[in-house]
PDB file of all heavy atoms in Angstrom:
ATOM      1  N   TRP N 317       1.156   4.157 -28.073  1.00  0.00           N
ATOM      2  CA  TRP N 317       0.150   4.332 -27.093  1.00  0.00           C
ATOM      3  C   TRP N 317       0.601   3.666 -25.729  1.00  0.00           C
ATOM      4  O   TRP N 317       0.479   4.352 -24.747  1.00  0.00           O
ATOM      5  CB  TRP N 317      -1.097   3.622 -27.509  1.00  0.00           C
ATOM      6  CG  TRP N 317      -2.191   3.709 -26.446  1.00  0.00           C
ATOM      7  CD1 TRP N 317      -2.852   4.753 -26.058  1.00  0.00           C
ATOM      8  CD2 TRP N 317      -2.578   2.548 -25.604  1.00  0.00           C
ATOM      9  NE1 TRP N 317      -3.713   4.419 -24.949  1.00  0.00           N
ATOM     10  CE2 TRP N 317      -3.488   3.060 -24.671  1.00  0.00           C
ATOM     11  CE3 TRP N 317      -2.189   1.240 -25.525  1.00  0.00           C
ATOM     12  CZ2 TRP N 317      -4.171   2.276 -23.721  1.00  0.00           C
ATOM     13  CZ3 TRP N 317      -2.822   0.445 -24.562  1.00  0.00           C
ATOM     14  CH2 TRP N 317      -3.760   0.926 -23.686  1.00  0.00           C
ATOM     15  N   ALA N 320       2.844   6.112 -24.104  1.00  0.00           N
ATOM     16  CA  ALA N 320       2.175   7.189 -23.492  1.00  0.00           C
ATOM     17  C   ALA N 320       1.513   6.843 -22.177  1.00  0.00           C
ATOM     18  O   ALA N 320       1.437   7.579 -21.183  1.00  0.00           O
ATOM     19  CB  ALA N 320       1.067   7.724 -24.447  1.00  0.00           C
ATOM     20  N   VAL N 321       0.945   5.584 -22.094  1.00  0.00           N
ATOM     21  CA  VAL N 321       0.443   5.053 -20.798  1.00  0.00           C
ATOM     22  C   VAL N 321       1.496   5.032 -19.766  1.00  0.00           C
ATOM     23  O   VAL N 321       1.275   5.467 -18.568  1.00  0.00           O
ATOM     24  CB  VAL N 321      -0.123   3.585 -20.981  1.00  0.00           C
ATOM     25  CG1 VAL N 321      -0.517   3.007 -19.638  1.00  0.00           C
ATOM     26  CG2 VAL N 321      -1.353   3.707 -21.894  1.00  0.00           C
ATOM     27  N   LEU N 336      -0.561  11.253 -27.492  1.00  0.00           N
ATOM     28  CA  LEU N 336      -2.011  10.918 -27.604  1.00  0.00           C
ATOM     29  C   LEU N 336      -2.741  11.793 -28.511  1.00  0.00           C
ATOM     30  O   LEU N 336      -3.745  11.386 -29.135  1.00  0.00           O
ATOM     31  CB  LEU N 336      -2.541  11.024 -26.212  1.00  0.00           C
ATOM     32  CG  LEU N 336      -1.954   9.993 -25.203  1.00  0.00           C
ATOM     33  CD1 LEU N 336      -2.450  10.273 -23.765  1.00  0.00           C
ATOM     34  CD2 LEU N 336      -2.370   8.549 -25.547  1.00  0.00           C
ATOM     35  N   SER N 349      -9.545   5.181 -29.872  1.00  0.00           N
ATOM     36  CA  SER N 349     -10.464   5.298 -28.708  1.00  0.00           C
ATOM     37  C   SER N 349      -9.645   5.274 -27.509  1.00  0.00           C
ATOM     38  O   SER N 349      -9.869   6.034 -26.461  1.00  0.00           O
ATOM     39  CB  SER N 349     -11.453   4.157 -28.806  1.00  0.00           C
ATOM     40  OG  SER N 349     -12.261   4.196 -27.615  1.00  0.00           O
ATOM     41  N   LEU N 350      -8.681   4.369 -27.336  1.00  0.00           N
ATOM     42  CA  LEU N 350      -7.848   4.172 -26.132  1.00  0.00           C
ATOM     43  C   LEU N 350      -7.021   5.397 -25.911  1.00  0.00           C
ATOM     44  O   LEU N 350      -6.837   5.893 -24.774  1.00  0.00           O
ATOM     45  CB  LEU N 350      -7.005   2.999 -26.249  1.00  0.00           C
ATOM     46  CG  LEU N 350      -7.678   1.641 -26.105  1.00  0.00           C
ATOM     47  CD1 LEU N 350      -6.718   0.533 -26.496  1.00  0.00           C
ATOM     48  CD2 LEU N 350      -8.171   1.442 -24.709  1.00  0.00           C
ATOM     49  N   SER N 351      -6.594   6.086 -26.952  1.00  0.00           N
ATOM     50  CA  SER N 351      -5.748   7.349 -26.807  1.00  0.00           C
ATOM     51  C   SER N 351      -6.615   8.435 -26.263  1.00  0.00           C
ATOM     52  O   SER N 351      -6.195   9.183 -25.389  1.00  0.00           O
ATOM     53  CB  SER N 351      -5.167   7.706 -28.237  1.00  0.00           C
ATOM     54  OG  SER N 351      -4.282   6.701 -28.634  1.00  0.00           O
ATOM     55  N   LEU N 352      -7.842   8.562 -26.733  1.00  0.00           N
ATOM     56  CA  LEU N 352      -8.769   9.570 -26.153  1.00  0.00           C
ATOM     57  C   LEU N 352      -9.042   9.309 -24.691  1.00  0.00           C
ATOM     58  O   LEU N 352      -9.052  10.246 -23.834  1.00  0.00           O
ATOM     59  CB  LEU N 352     -10.029   9.590 -26.914  1.00  0.00           C
ATOM     60  CG  LEU N 352     -10.034  10.153 -28.362  1.00  0.00           C
ATOM     61  CD1 LEU N 352     -11.151   9.617 -29.183  1.00  0.00           C
ATOM     62  CD2 LEU N 352     -10.068  11.680 -28.247  1.00  0.00           C
ATOM     63  N   SER N 353      -9.300   8.022 -24.323  1.00  0.00           N
ATOM     64  CA  SER N 353      -9.587   7.695 -22.958  1.00  0.00           C
ATOM     65  C   SER N 353      -8.414   7.865 -22.064  1.00  0.00           C
ATOM     66  O   SER N 353      -8.443   8.364 -20.899  1.00  0.00           O
ATOM     67  CB  SER N 353      -9.989   6.183 -22.866  1.00  0.00           C
ATOM     68  OG  SER N 353     -11.237   5.967 -23.435  1.00  0.00           O
ATOM     69  N   THR N 354      -7.188   7.638 -22.595  1.00  0.00           N
ATOM     70  CA  THR N 354      -5.971   7.829 -21.792  1.00  0.00           C
ATOM     71  C   THR N 354      -5.674   9.290 -21.495  1.00  0.00           C
ATOM     72  O   THR N 354      -5.371   9.603 -20.353  1.00  0.00           O
ATOM     73  CB  THR N 354      -4.790   7.148 -22.487  1.00  0.00           C
ATOM     74  OG1 THR N 354      -5.039   5.823 -22.766  1.00  0.00           O
ATOM     75  CG2 THR N 354      -3.524   7.281 -21.687  1.00  0.00           C
ATOM     76  N   ARG N 355      -5.866  10.159 -22.512  1.00  0.00           N
ATOM     77  CA  ARG N 355      -5.764  11.538 -22.271  1.00  0.00           C
ATOM     78  C   ARG N 355      -6.775  12.004 -21.284  1.00  0.00           C
ATOM     79  O   ARG N 355      -6.416  12.900 -20.371  1.00  0.00           O
ATOM     80  CB  ARG N 355      -5.912  12.228 -23.624  1.00  0.00           C
ATOM     81  CG  ARG N 355      -5.970  13.812 -23.461  1.00  0.00           C
ATOM     82  CD  ARG N 355      -4.666  14.385 -22.893  1.00  0.00           C
ATOM     83  NE  ARG N 355      -4.701  15.864 -23.019  1.00  0.00           N
ATOM     84  CZ  ARG N 355      -3.946  16.642 -22.212  1.00  0.00           C
ATOM     85  NH1 ARG N 355      -3.179  16.192 -21.323  1.00  0.00           N
ATOM     86  NH2 ARG N 355      -4.065  17.994 -22.438  1.00  0.00           N
ATOM     87  N   ALA N 356      -7.965  11.525 -21.396  1.00  0.00           N
ATOM     88  CA  ALA N 356      -9.027  11.922 -20.418  1.00  0.00           C
ATOM     89  C   ALA N 356      -8.603  11.552 -18.948  1.00  0.00           C
ATOM     90  O   ALA N 356      -8.807  12.269 -17.995  1.00  0.00           O
ATOM     91  CB  ALA N 356     -10.363  11.279 -20.810  1.00  0.00           C
ATOM     92  N   SER N 357      -8.060  10.332 -18.833  1.00  0.00           N
ATOM     93  CA  SER N 357      -7.650   9.867 -17.545  1.00  0.00           C
ATOM     94  C   SER N 357      -6.504  10.794 -16.954  1.00  0.00           C
ATOM     95  O   SER N 357      -6.620  11.131 -15.784  1.00  0.00           O
ATOM     96  CB  SER N 357      -7.058   8.401 -17.683  1.00  0.00           C
ATOM     97  OG  SER N 357      -6.510   7.984 -16.475  1.00  0.00           O
ATOM     98  N   HIS N 358      -5.623  11.168 -17.715  1.00  0.00           N
ATOM     99  CA  HIS N 358      -4.560  12.060 -17.269  1.00  0.00           C
ATOM    100  C   HIS N 358      -5.157  13.413 -16.810  1.00  0.00           C
ATOM    101  O   HIS N 358      -4.709  14.000 -15.789  1.00  0.00           O
ATOM    102  CB  HIS N 358      -3.480  12.307 -18.333  1.00  0.00           C
ATOM    103  CG  HIS N 358      -2.768  11.004 -18.682  1.00  0.00           C
ATOM    104  ND1 HIS N 358      -1.978  10.915 -19.833  1.00  0.00           N
ATOM    105  CD2 HIS N 358      -2.724   9.761 -18.072  1.00  0.00           C
ATOM    106  CE1 HIS N 358      -1.430   9.717 -19.863  1.00  0.00           C
ATOM    107  NE2 HIS N 358      -1.865   8.991 -18.864  1.00  0.00           N
ATOM    108  N   LEU N 359      -6.049  13.900 -17.573  1.00  0.00           N
ATOM    109  CA  LEU N 359      -6.726  15.167 -17.190  1.00  0.00           C
ATOM    110  C   LEU N 359      -7.455  14.987 -15.893  1.00  0.00           C
ATOM    111  O   LEU N 359      -7.429  15.909 -14.940  1.00  0.00           O
ATOM    112  CB  LEU N 359      -7.658  15.625 -18.251  1.00  0.00           C
ATOM    113  CG  LEU N 359      -7.064  16.168 -19.493  1.00  0.00           C
ATOM    114  CD1 LEU N 359      -8.056  16.329 -20.670  1.00  0.00           C
ATOM    115  CD2 LEU N 359      -6.432  17.533 -19.257  1.00  0.00           C
ATOM    116  N   ASP N 372     -13.797  11.328 -23.315  1.00  0.00           N
ATOM    117  CA  ASP N 372     -14.338   9.946 -23.093  1.00  0.00           C
ATOM    118  C   ASP N 372     -15.540   9.704 -23.936  1.00  0.00           C
ATOM    119  O   ASP N 372     -15.760   8.608 -24.413  1.00  0.00           O
ATOM    120  CB  ASP N 372     -14.763   9.811 -21.532  1.00  0.00           C
ATOM    121  CG  ASP N 372     -13.579   9.609 -20.656  1.00  0.00           C
ATOM    122  OD1 ASP N 372     -12.629   8.828 -21.007  1.00  0.00           O
ATOM    123  OD2 ASP N 372     -13.511  10.294 -19.588  1.00  0.00           O
ATOM    124  N   ASP N 398     -13.199   1.178 -21.129  1.00  0.00           N
ATOM    125  CA  ASP N 398     -12.353   2.275 -20.687  1.00  0.00           C
ATOM    126  C   ASP N 398     -13.159   3.527 -20.808  1.00  0.00           C
ATOM    127  O   ASP N 398     -13.142   4.451 -19.994  1.00  0.00           O
ATOM    128  CB  ASP N 398     -11.047   2.363 -21.446  1.00  0.00           C
ATOM    129  CG  ASP N 398      -9.981   1.498 -20.947  1.00  0.00           C
ATOM    130  OD1 ASP N 398     -10.239   0.754 -19.999  1.00  0.00           O
ATOM    131  OD2 ASP N 398      -8.877   1.554 -21.459  1.00  0.00           O
TER     132      ASP N 398
END
Side-chain angles (χ1 to χ4, degrees):
W317 174 73
V321 171
L336 296 169
S349 176
L350 288 170
S351 297
L352 287 158
S353 294
T354 303
R355 173 61 171 158
S357 173
H358 296 167
L359 287 166
D372 285 316
D398 274 6

